[in-house]
Amino acid sequence: MLSVSATRPLTFKISLPPPAFSLRTHMESPPRTHFTSASHSPQTNADIKDTSDGLAITLQEWQGWGAVSPLPAKVVEIVNDLKLLEKTTEVQMSFSGHRGKLEGDFGMQENKKHRATYQALGDSEKKLQFFSARQIACRLLGSRGYLCQKCWLPLEEDCMCSKVKPSSLWHGIRFWLYMHPKDFLRQNNTGKLLWQVFGVESATLCLYGIAEDEEIMWNACKTAGKDRVWCLYPNKNVATKSVQDALCQEISSDPECNTTMKNEYKPLNFILIDGTWSNSAAMFNRLKEKTKSVWGVEDLPCISLSAGVSTMHKLRPQPSWDRTCTAAAAIGLLSELQILPQFSSYGLDKQSEVLENAVDVLLDALTARRLRMGRSITRRLRPSGNIR
């Protein structure tokens, strides 16, 4: 989520999520790591197998939802614990309409068990990892056979994949989607559109609190160096720079930058915090803590966007009109980069347009779903204050 002020542009932060962030200006630096995207088709019986503890999540299934990391060990552990609880209590596991929340007698028993487990974890890092893994495990199990793995919409009724046009993002840019677990598999999430359009190599998912995901991002960040990474998130505590000021200054002060722009194998890394505004502060603080431990600095320069609000505001309003969704922030960034002479030849305006079209497709799909279910297609705006 990003903020766009009517009086001044949106603030973002050079850093690096979340939650992976930067690219080194080193001539000898190797090209960025490439991932093999798993199939996004619905899982079959071959993808899900029984173990002594119950149904297992396979690597193919995990990466089918947009992940690039190895199968998270903590998620697997919690899935097996859920199946074991189902077996010992002889109460069938069931999920609510949101497909990520356990319900009924099983839900009540699991709730007591997980609360006790959480309280017994004295270490805050272990608590975060447990919380994140449990959220994701429940969403994975509850969404099986219901949501499309690629667009995260109901398979039989609302899948929009055939209407989304893929595009190649210029190799000089890489997005990191630092996503809160409560946004994982959320149908109106817009961050998923980035890898649906550009692919997982150009727009990589990193789940907050999942060690395997954060390790991939931070390894890329440390290899790149903090001066080659920007975290798009409002930061009112430091002076902000426009995209033009930040990028022009970086490029003009770096003698290797022209080579970087030509070779296109050392991308600029942009981290987008993908979560509700109430959750984003904790995610941002985690990034700052990691940044300090890696580079010894906590406050990093911020860049601001002057982009407008997204059409998604009509269906999923933000705390105020000066804030926008994740995909709209990426669209705004690409549009502003296109204006700069050093980026004008890479077709970022066309890539921005393809992503904007995908947002429109998502809005249409969600609107049609609401109409079919007899629900309002607009939502009352929340108060502009008290946003954190």
Side-chain angles (χ1 to χ4, degrees):
M1 313 212 28
L2 292 224
S3 125
V4 186
S5 172
T7 58
R8 67 176 185 181
L10 235 183
T11 45
F12 306 97
K13 173 172 218 182
I14 280 192
S15 83
L16 306 47
F21 315 163
S22 65
L23 271 195
R24 174 175 325 202
T25 58
H26 225 5
M27 291 276 305
E28 296 80 19
S29 295
R32 62 177 162 180
T33 303
H34 290 276
F35 299 103
T36 301
S37 177
S39 169
H40 288 291
S41 59
Q43 63 272 15
T44 64
N45 290 336
D47 299 321
I48 307 171
K49 59 183 179 181
D50 283 313
T51 66
S52 58
D53 289 326
L55 293 177
I57 296 175
T58 66
L59 178 62
Q60 180 181 1
E61 179 185 359
W62 169 245
Q63 294 189 341
W65 295 107
V68 299
S69 63
L71 191 57
K74 197 65 180 178
V75 172
V76 172
E77 178 185 328
I78 290 178
V79 168
N80 288 335
D81 285 345
L82 289 170
K83 294 302 296 183
L84 182 60
L85 181 62
E86 185 180 52
K87 182 182 298 185
T88 56
T89 60
E90 298 183 348
V91 178
Q92 186 174 4
M93 190 187 313
S94 61
F95 295 85
S96 68
H98 294 95
R99 304 285 176 166
K101 184 175 181 179
L102 291 163
E103 63 179 1
D105 291 340
F106 183 89
M108 290 188 290
Q109 294 191 49
E110 192 277 337
N111 186 56
K112 293 179 181 179
K113 182 176 183 294
H114 99 257
R115 286 180 180 274
T117 301
Y118 182 84
Q119 292 299 327
L121 297 172
D123 182 82
S124 60
E125 178 65 21
K126 291 181 179 179
K127 284 186 173 182
L128 172 61
Q129 291 182 7
F130 176 80
F131 164 80
S132 297
R134 179 181 174 275
Q135 290 286 333
I136 291 167
C138 288
R139 281 165 169 72
L140 288 171
L141 294 179
S143 299
R144 279 177 165 174
Y146 172 60
L147 295 184
C148 170
Q149 287 190 284
K150 190 170 184 180
C151 69
W152 298 0
L153 295 179
L155 268 168
E156 297 181 0
E157 304 164 320
D158 304 304
C159 177
M160 65 179 210
C161 293
S162 62
K163 299 178 181 179
V164 174
K165 179 182 177 181
S167 174
S168 295
L169 181 65
W170 173 54
H171 291 172
I173 291 176
R174 185 175 187 179
F175 287 113
W176 294 90
L177 282 298
Y178 193 36
M179 184 177 292
H180 194 276
K182 288 188 175 182
D183 261 65
F184 182 60
L185 304 190
R186 178 174 286 185
Q187 295 175 33
N188 64 1
N189 176 277
T190 65
K192 65 189 175 187
L193 295 175
L194 271 76
W195 67 78
Q196 189 173 5
V197 171
F198 298 131
V200 295
E201 293 182 7
S202 297
T204 306
L205 173 64
C206 177
L207 288 161
Y208 170 67
I210 297 300
E212 290 83 354
D213 277 22
E214 293 184 335
E215 181 179 6
I216 288 174
M217 185 173 68
W218 275 105
N219 283 343
C221 169
K222 287 184 283 188
T223 298
K226 73 177 180 65
D227 292 335
R228 300 288 287 173
V229 175
W230 286 261
C231 179
L232 278 66
Y233 182 75
N235 183 8
K236 298 179 180 179
N237 298 322
V238 299
T240 63
K241 291 183 178 181
S242 67
V243 172
Q244 179 175 357
D245 290 342
L247 272 295
C248 287
Q249 178 178 338
E250 173 65 25
I251 291 173
S252 62
S253 64
D254 182 1
E256 297 180 356
C257 202
N258 289 334
T259 302
T260 295
M261 306 293 286
K262 293 177 182 178
N263 291 343
E264 299 185 7
Y265 69 80
K266 295 176 59 181
L268 303 170
N269 290 249
F270 295 97
I271 316 306
L272 298 106
I273 295 182
D274 193 355
T276 63
W277 286 102
S278 59
N279 291 327
S280 64
M283 299 171 70
F284 183 65
N285 287 337
R286 183 171 177 81
L287 294 183
K288 290 202 302 181
E289 291 172 1
K290 186 64 176 178
T291 299
K292 188 172 183 179
S293 70
V294 172
W295 290 301
V297 295
E298 182 175 322
D299 293 326
L300 297 170
C302 297
I303 56 174
S304 58
L305 297 178
S306 57
V309 298
S310 166
T311 56
M312 283 294 291
H313 245 296
K314 291 184 282 187
L315 198 66
R316 199 189 78 179
Q318 302 298 332
S320 61
W321 280 100
D322 66 343
R323 305 208 167 182
T324 191
C325 65
T326 304
I331 291 168
L333 176 63
L334 292 175
S335 298
E336 292 193 38
L337 288 173
Q338 174 66 29
I339 298 174
L340 304 181
Q342 62 268 38
F343 295 101
S344 60
S345 63
Y346 299 117
L348 300 182
D349 54 340
K350 301 298 183 183
Q351 294 153 39
S352 172
E353 182 179 349
V354 174
L355 184 56
E356 190 167 9
N357 289 339
V359 174
D360 290 337
V361 170
L362 175 59
L363 178 61
D364 290 344
L366 293 174
T367 300
R369 177 172 176 78
R370 288 195 175 191
L371 288 173
R372 189 179 65 253
M373 299 176 69
R375 297 166 57 191
S376 172
I377 61 173
T378 59
R379 289 174 59 185
R380 184 175 61 183
L381 293 179
R382 305 174 206 167
S384 58
N386 194 26
I387 60 174
R388 290 294 181 95

